[in-house]
Amino acid sequence: MNKIELTGTYKSFGTVQAVKDVSMTLEPGKIYGLLGRNGAGKSTLLNMITGRVFPDAGTITVDGEGVIENDRALGKIYLMGESKYYPDGMRLKEAYHWAAKFYPDFDLENAYYLAKQFGLNTRKKFKELSTGMSTMFRLSVALSTGAPYIFLDEPVLGLDAVHRDMFYRLLVEQFERHPACYVISTHLIEEVTGLLEEVYIIRGGELLLHESTEGLLARGYTATGPVSVIDDFIVGRTCIGSDSLGGLKSAYLLEPVETAQIPEGVEVSKLNLQQLFVQLTKEQGGIV
Amino acid sequence: MQLNFNDDRPIFLQIAEGIEDGILVGAFPEEGQIPSTTEISMTYKINPATALKGVSRLAEEGILYKRRGLGMFVAKGAVSKVKEKRKAAFLDQYVAGLIQEAKRLGLTLGETMELIERSYHHEQD
């Protein structure tokens, strides 16, 4: 069975519990969102999956094999992070050729194609790159490695709106070309919503929620109306937060609401993924 | 076509409705080919599985059909099929909301009808 499987993983650094009892399943042919606030444990999770950090407890397997000190399993995973692997004086094109030697399935032609799409000059040296250009270069490598599991940590860091738009389109194109498992970790949730088939939301090192994006969006609602009416309305419902404006109250609900159940004077509207994320992960945020 | 992630309807339905709109205005004529799911998903930056779900929905309803190795085409009679389907949904999608707002404003049925008539004739001019 082709998948990455985490079972009951834990990791702490000193007294800080970075990851607590997280289990996940990631399959090729799907695009996942790994969402969490800063410090929620995303990086630790990614570092454990890619074998850079060993879990204190629990198991991580790739296609049935453990990842710890297992080059064959780790060779199937590519993590695009912010680390700088390349010497300042190296030119981008040289780095592509190194990558081609390192990754047996590296698609050099595709890397050059992506560089061209992004308008990257591959004769440039790494020290000459802006943050955005560095991101674009690392994306062009990540999407060309041919790895069956590709993790993109902050894939749009430093990209302007036009380049982000371009990246989202290219990601779809690359996914169709190479239907690997793509895991995207980003703070720009609204922009990637449509791309994500499933989302994992982590908070305080714990897995808060795992669901199909469509399923999650189908049950996120805001109900707005007079305070007393809303207070009655939310009794017995899964309310994950609220806002008040004078006598007007908005409650955020995580359950499907039937039109027939909505009382007079209550306006109901959909929550998007970013709004749901904010309500679920803010301080004193909602419990699922 | 504009996708709205705050909309009540899931994205795959919005894709299906967008294609229906294209059929109604003649952008996708009967027996003509519609864009591939790759083109649709790249244009709207959505997961190809979502685009496929929208297209498959229309195929199940007989509005689109598949030509092997070529892609999806608009079926003969699709325009009238889409119109019938839209008429059936007209009450829920438009009239119900209109009545709700009319009641909130304290408009009587007569006053509401008069507004509808005026607007209807205005649109025709």
Side-chain angles (χ1 to χ4, degrees):
Chain A
M1 180 65 197
N2 287 347
K3 63 182 170 193
I4 288 182
E5 197 148 42
L6 283 78
T7 314
T9 54
Y10 284 80
K11 181 71 197 178
S12 61
F13 298 102
T15 56
V16 180
Q17 191 72 49
V19 169
K20 195 177 162 194
D21 194 21
V22 170
S23 299
M24 296 172 81
T25 304
L26 303 166
E27 294 169 15
K30 283 189 180 179
I31 303 175
Y32 296 86
L34 175 62
L35 310 177
R37 298 185 57 194
N38 290 327
K42 286 183 310 252
S43 299
T44 307
L45 212 48
L46 293 177
N47 284 331
M48 286 200 308
I49 294 170
T50 52
R52 292 160 204 212
V53 163
F54 296 163
D56 298 333
T59 57
I60 302 172
T61 59
V62 179
D63 301 347
E65 290 186 289
V67 288
I68 293 174
E69 289 174 3
N70 180 343
D71 285 344
R72 190 171 46 179
L74 291 175
K76 295 176 182 174
I77 302 172
Y78 187 85
L79 167 65
M80 177 202 144
E82 56 174 331
S83 338
K84 295 194 165 76
Y85 307 116
Y86 307 98
D88 278 351
M90 190 184 255
R91 293 180 197 281
L92 306 193
K93 55 191 279 186
E94 292 172 312
Y96 281 149
H97 290 272
W98 273 106
K101 279 185 189 149
F102 205 74
Y103 300 99
D105 296 323
F106 193 82
D107 188 336
L108 197 57
E109 205 180 308
N110 190 62
Y112 275 113
Y113 162 76
L114 291 171
K116 197 175 169 200
Q117 294 291 309
F118 281 127
L120 276 181
N121 178 356
T122 56
R123 299 181 54 80
K124 278 204 167 168
K125 292 176 178 169
F126 280 95
K127 64 179 172 200
E128 299 169 313
L129 299 189
S130 66
T131 312
M133 288 196 284
S134 163
T135 298
M136 290 184 266
F137 170 77
R138 286 177 296 117
L139 280 172
S140 70
V141 174
L143 297 174
S144 303
T145 52
Y149 301 96
I150 298 167
F151 292 81
L152 305 172
D153 191 8
E154 289 300 336
V156 294
L157 194 73
L159 299 194
D160 66 26
V162 174
H163 278 137
R164 291 205 300 278
D165 192 82
M166 188 183 280
F167 163 64
Y168 301 131
R169 283 168 205 262
L170 287 170
L171 181 67
V172 173
E173 183 195 69
Q174 298 287 308
F175 178 66
E176 292 277 68
R177 183 187 71 91
H178 175 55
C181 169
Y182 293 82
V183 180
I184 302 173
S185 184
T186 180
H187 292 305
L188 297 176
I189 296 168
E190 219 164 333
E191 296 186 349
V192 295
T193 305
L195 295 168
L196 308 177
E197 187 163 341
E198 294 179 20
V199 285
Y200 281 93
I201 297 180
I202 54 172
R203 187 181 69 179
E206 291 181 88
L207 184 62
L208 189 67
L209 189 147
H210 167 222
E211 196 168 344
S212 75
T213 312
E214 195 184 305
L216 182 59
L217 288 176
R219 60 196 190 98
Y221 282 89
T222 318
T224 304
V227 175
S228 60
V229 179
I230 294 299
D231 285 342
D232 284 346
F233 183 66
I234 61 177
V235 173
R237 296 179 194 275
T238 313
C239 181
I240 56 172
S242 64
D243 280 316
S244 296
L245 184 66
L248 205 60
K249 183 168 178 172
S250 291
Y252 305 106
L253 300 166
L254 196 63
E255 61 176 48
V257 176
E258 294 291 326
T259 342
Q261 305 169 342
I262 301 164
E264 194 76 18
V266 174
E267 281 277 349
V268 165
S269 62
K270 263 312 230 330
L271 282 169
N272 66 34
L273 189 58
Q274 178 151 309
Q275 292 166 324
L276 272 166
F277 175 82
V278 169
Q279 295 306 324
L280 285 166
T281 60
K282 69 180 182 188
E283 266 82 2
Q284 312 107 25
I287 309 297
V288 180
Chain B
M1 169 170 61
Q2 211 57 45
L3 295 179
N4 180 357
F5 290 92
N6 282 68
D7 198 285
D8 270 344
R9 295 159 306 160
I11 297 303
F12 80 89
L13 272 188
Q14 294 184 41
I15 291 289
E17 282 174 15
I19 295 169
E20 286 177 357
D21 288 340
I23 293 170
L24 283 180
V25 301
F28 304 139
E30 292 185 5
E31 297 297 344
Q33 192 169 9
I34 63 150
S36 70
T37 50
T38 306
E39 287 174 86
I40 295 171
S41 46
M42 277 182 74
T43 304
Y44 295 103
K45 294 163 278 173
I46 57 166
N47 197 295
T50 312
L52 183 64
K53 199 169 166 185
V55 169
S56 303
R57 170 65 69 100
L58 295 180
E60 280 161 25
E61 292 172 354
I63 291 165
L64 300 177
Y65 70 97
K66 189 176 194 163
R67 275 193 208 162
R68 284 184 89 163
L70 288 175
M72 299 300 285
F73 286 74
V74 179
K76 214 182 232 158
V79 173
S80 59
K81 246 183 193 147
V82 170
K83 279 185 183 166
E84 283 313 309
K85 187 180 153 190
R86 291 284 178 97
K87 278 180 199 167
F90 187 71
L91 177 73
D92 273 348
Q93 240 172 32
Y94 297 94
V95 183
L98 181 131
I99 299 299
Q100 193 190 13
E101 179 70 0
K103 281 184 173 173
R104 199 156 30 190
L105 298 178
L107 290 169
T108 64
L109 179 58
E111 287 167 328
T112 310
M113 293 298 285
E114 202 192 303
L115 286 171
I116 291 172
E117 259 175 46
R118 214 198 297 164
S119 179
Y120 194 94
H121 293 308
H122 184 73
E123 274 277 318
Q124 278 184 338
D125 292 342

